[in-house]
Amino acid sequence: MALTTRAAALLLLGIVPVVLRPAGSTVWAWALVWLLVVGADLLLAASPSALRLARDGDGQVRLGESLTTGLVVENTGGRRARGLLRDGWPPSAGATPGRHPLDVPAGERRRVVTTLVPTRRGDRLADRVTTRLVGPLGLAARQRSVEVPGRVRVLHAFPSRKHLPSRLAVLRELDGRAAVRTRGQGTEFDSLRDYVDGDDVRSIDWRATARRQHLVVRTWQPEQHRRIVIVIDTGRTTAGRVGDAPRLDAAMDAALLLTALAGHARDRVQVVAGDRRVHTRISGADRASLLHEVISRLAPVDPQVVETDWGALAGEVARSTHRALVVLLTPLEPAAVEEGLLPVLPALVAHHRVVVASVSDPALERMRTARDGSVEVWGAAAAERTIALRGVAAEALGRLGVDVIDAPPDDLAVRLADHYLALKRQGLL
């Protein structure tokens, strides 16, 4: 049961008879009248239990975009249902409007629509749906809350996708679709064609020439079907925020761009995300569906306040004995690198090409150049020490033969993609 502002106004209206006849009996008489009127209005209100609620299926939306979700309300009772409906979503779902006016005649149904503009990545779960049905006088209402399960998966915004066309153009040149195919390091046999003036005589296939009775040369293309393993650290160090987002989001953005690029290059991509345990493992040969699956599966993965077990994650890489490009997306925190990552790297470097990609904080560069006051000088000293320690960690990784990429969130994905293309150009995968 709930009372409306009309009920409060009706009760205050009793001041008039009390002023005209100031007696205790007048107060009790008006209170009795008020109770009778409110009770009658409550009895005449439609029952919320007569409403049947059904929600639309689960949806997906990219972070920063909007999505509409609907709720069908069916009135199975014999009275007209009038009042309000609140479709409960968490604040991070950005649901508007908060309350919907409801007017459903007996035996009919209506659909209410809520617009969601999520502010956080991951699964947003619907809370209870509350209906408040008022009586014909609008004095009292019956209220009921029921659980109507619903979920919207908020995908990563993938801001680096704007760089994908330019990197695909570079990839097409490497594949030979925009340039003449020539033999060199990191190439494999592609096909045979007739010899033309200017071709390298070392590319002549003499067996094919003997069969066809004219000169035939071999063509070459960059090696394909290389194995790319992307390991995303979800431990405590990835929870630190750089700007408005945690480091993990920037690491995911870099992983998505590399996945899209390697998929177009016909390389086999595997993405692993974990800390003490593996939260998700994605692999597949279908490049058309691989990127969408990676985006969807990574959406609910959040940083965990635990130390990363690099031994367990390295075991995921070691499942296959084939040589691979292993990309470790983890913050370049000196203590975490020295105690957790360095001990497992020698075994990885012995069999694979390893790249460590880290998100740096642009605020450190701003702090190290500020010298206006004593507080800023101390801040600059702290920034210098932090940068120096990160440099020591990067040098330790470099001595093991690991390529280190340390870049701000907006540049990390592009730097990693360019490094992959450079390795592919030099035949080092």
Side-chain angles (χ1 to χ4, degrees):
M1 174 185 173
L3 298 178
T4 67
T5 54
R6 288 189 182 184
L10 179 62
L11 184 62
L12 292 176
L13 190 62
I15 296 177
V16 176
V18 171
V19 171
L20 296 178
R21 186 176 179 274
S25 59
T26 306
V27 174
W28 287 108
W30 184 257
L32 180 62
V33 170
W34 182 83
L35 287 174
L36 291 175
V37 174
V38 170
D41 194 47
L42 181 64
L43 291 176
L44 293 175
S47 174
S49 60
L51 299 181
R52 298 291 180 267
L53 305 175
R55 190 184 298 279
D56 292 349
D58 298 343
Q60 289 186 346
V61 63
R62 196 182 299 275
L63 183 64
E65 299 178 357
S66 62
L67 172 73
T68 58
T69 178
L71 193 67
V72 177
V73 183
E74 182 181 1
N75 185 2
T76 61
R79 297 176 182 176
R80 190 183 192 94
R82 295 186 302 109
L84 293 175
L85 180 145
R86 181 182 181 274
D87 190 4
W89 288 89
S92 59
T96 54
R99 292 175 174 81
H100 302 271
L102 195 63
D103 189 357
V104 186
E108 297 187 12
R109 63 180 63 184
R110 295 289 185 269
R111 186 172 185 267
V112 295
V113 177
T114 303
T115 301
L116 304 179
V117 186
T119 58
R120 286 182 57 192
R121 172 182 53 79
D123 288 341
R124 306 274 77 84
L125 302 179
D127 202 348
R128 297 183 178 185
V129 176
T130 301
T131 52
R132 177 179 292 181
L133 304 182
V134 298
L137 300 178
L139 299 176
R142 297 184 182 184
Q143 181 170 308
R144 182 172 181 243
S145 296
V146 294
E147 293 185 359
V148 184
R151 184 188 71 173
V152 170
R153 175 156 291 186
V154 186
L155 307 178
H156 195 283
F158 192 12
S160 65
R161 67 184 183 275
K162 62 185 177 183
H163 301 290
L164 186 58
S166 61
R167 270 61 193 178
L168 289 179
V170 177
L171 185 61
R172 283 192 293 270
E173 293 181 1
L174 294 178
D175 285 343
R177 290 191 288 268
V180 178
R181 296 183 179 181
T182 59
R183 185 176 184 179
Q185 188 179 22
T187 59
E188 59 186 14
F189 174 74
D190 179 53
S191 60
L192 297 173
R193 63 170 174 81
D194 293 339
Y195 175 86
V196 297
D197 292 340
D199 283 339
D200 190 347
V201 295
R202 293 175 295 180
S203 297
I204 296 176
D205 190 315
W206 294 107
R207 291 186 179 181
T209 297
R211 289 194 301 268
R212 298 188 183 183
Q213 299 299 314
H214 59 269
L215 291 176
V216 176
V217 296
R218 299 172 180 173
T219 60
W220 309 86
Q221 65 179 1
E223 290 179 336
Q224 299 178 351
H225 308 296
R226 301 295 93 186
R227 184 167 174 253
I228 314 296
V229 181
I230 304 173
V231 180
I232 303 175
D233 179 12
T234 61
R236 65 171 183 83
T237 56
T238 64
R241 302 185 71 84
V242 177
D244 296 330
R247 285 189 172 97
L248 180 59
D249 283 17
M252 287 183 177
D253 188 35
L256 293 176
L257 182 60
L258 182 57
T259 299
L261 193 57
H264 280 83
R266 300 180 182 86
D267 288 332
R268 295 189 296 269
V269 181
Q270 179 182 8
V271 180
V272 178
D275 36 73
R276 286 193 177 276
R277 64 182 182 88
V278 175
H279 297 292
T280 184
R281 184 188 303 108
I282 313 115
S283 61
D286 186 5
R287 67 178 185 179
S289 61
L290 178 61
L291 179 62
H292 181 270
E293 185 178 1
V294 171
I295 294 176
S296 180
R297 297 270 296 273
L298 288 181
V301 176
D302 290 321
Q304 305 296 316
V305 191
V306 295
E307 293 291 342
T308 302
D309 184 358
W310 282 107
L313 297 182
E316 292 293 320
V317 179
R319 284 189 170 193
S320 175
T321 58
H322 297 289
R323 179 175 173 82
L325 172 64
V326 179
V327 179
L328 307 179
L329 288 159
T330 180
L332 200 62
E333 296 297 333
V337 169
E338 182 177 343
E339 296 177 7
L341 185 56
L342 283 179
V344 304
L345 280 178
L348 283 179
V349 174
H351 299 92
H352 307 286
R353 181 90 185 190
V354 181
V355 177
V356 172
S358 171
V359 181
S360 63
D361 192 350
L364 290 176
E365 292 294 335
R366 295 192 296 268
M367 288 178 61
R368 70 185 299 188
T369 57
R371 302 286 198 277
D372 294 339
S374 59
V375 175
E376 292 185 349
V377 169
W378 284 106
E384 288 283 1
R385 175 174 173 77
T386 301
I387 294 173
L389 291 176
R390 291 172 67 90
V392 170
E395 290 179 4
L397 295 173
R399 285 193 295 269
L400 293 176
V402 177
D403 299 330
V404 179
I405 301 174
D406 191 21
D410 296 338
D411 300 333
L412 180 64
V414 178
R415 291 271 301 276
L416 182 59
D418 290 343
H419 187 73
Y420 164 77
L421 292 173
L423 293 177
K424 201 168 187 65
R425 183 183 295 108
Q426 299 168 21
L428 298 177
L429 295 183

